Amino acid sequence: MFVRVILHATEGPMKGQDFVLENGTDCILGRDTDCFPRLPDPLVLISRHHCRIKVSAPSVRIQDLGSRNGTYVNGENIGQRDRAQTMEQALRERHTEYPLWQGDKLRLGATLFEIELDPPPPCAEEQACDPEKLWSSDCTTCC
């Protein structure tokens, strides 16, 4: 089972930087000073409190927090607020959590992160039929 998640910045103003999230971490990514990682964004494409990542092995979950420009996982928009909504209205809504897996690509504005689980799951090099089973003996790819 992994003990940490590493966010590798592969594009954008933070390119080349890594951010380590230990098991048990619940962090908010955004432009505000209380965020980790704090994401500089001169074009203001990233919200002050953009999204949340919860690391609780064996899962990693992400949720958009009502950002104006959306949170993207592997090119798919997983959430953003309606253009007519204020941030305060968006914060009162319940936002869906989505799983993150080894190798996923997370885009916030111009910043792109690649997700690494450390150590990687046994099936990380293979395409598992069911990602929920990567850490169990129920994985048909490696068992």
Side-chain angles (χ1 to χ4, degrees):
M1 184 174 320
F2 68 88
V3 294
R4 69 187 61 81
V5 174
I6 303 170
L7 304 178
H8 298 287
T10 59
E11 290 180 17
M14 306 187 83
K15 183 177 179 176
Q17 295 183 48
D18 292 339
F19 300 92
V20 178
L21 309 177
E22 299 293 335
N23 190 24
T25 299
D26 184 352
C27 63
I28 296 178
L29 289 73
R31 291 183 292 119
D32 210 347
T33 57
D34 64 348
C35 293
F36 178 80
R38 182 172 185 229
L39 306 174
D41 182 27
L43 300 176
V44 194
L45 297 173
I46 297 174
S47 297
R48 286 184 301 253
H49 295 110
H50 197 96
C51 65
R52 164 180 273 140
I53 294 181
K54 297 177 185 177
V55 181
S56 182
S59 72
V60 182
R61 314 284 295 168
I62 186 168
Q63 70 182 147
D64 183 87
L65 296 176
S67 68
R68 180 177 273 316
N69 293 304
T71 299
Y72 293 81
V73 176
N74 299 325
E76 180 182 339
N77 186 340
I78 63 158
Q80 76 184 90
R81 74 177 185 253
D82 185 275
R83 295 285 181 203
Q85 280 184 311
T86 66
M87 186 58 159
E88 292 75 24
Q89 290 169 327
L91 286 173
R92 287 192 292 262
E93 290 185 0
R94 182 172 171 87
H95 302 283
T96 304
E97 291 184 352
Y98 294 87
L100 288 175
W101 304 106
Q102 177 81 5
D104 279 352
K105 308 281 193 259
L106 169 61
R107 180 171 297 281
L108 310 172
T111 301
L112 181 69
F113 292 106
E114 183 171 332
I115 307 301
E116 177 186 352
L117 305 180
D118 182 38
C123 294
E125 300 303 317
E126 301 287 335
Q127 181 62 31
C129 297
D130 184 354
E132 295 282 344
K133 296 180 179 177
L134 282 178
W135 296 101
S136 73
S137 60
D138 294 335
C139 179
T140 58
T141 303
C142 64
C143 299

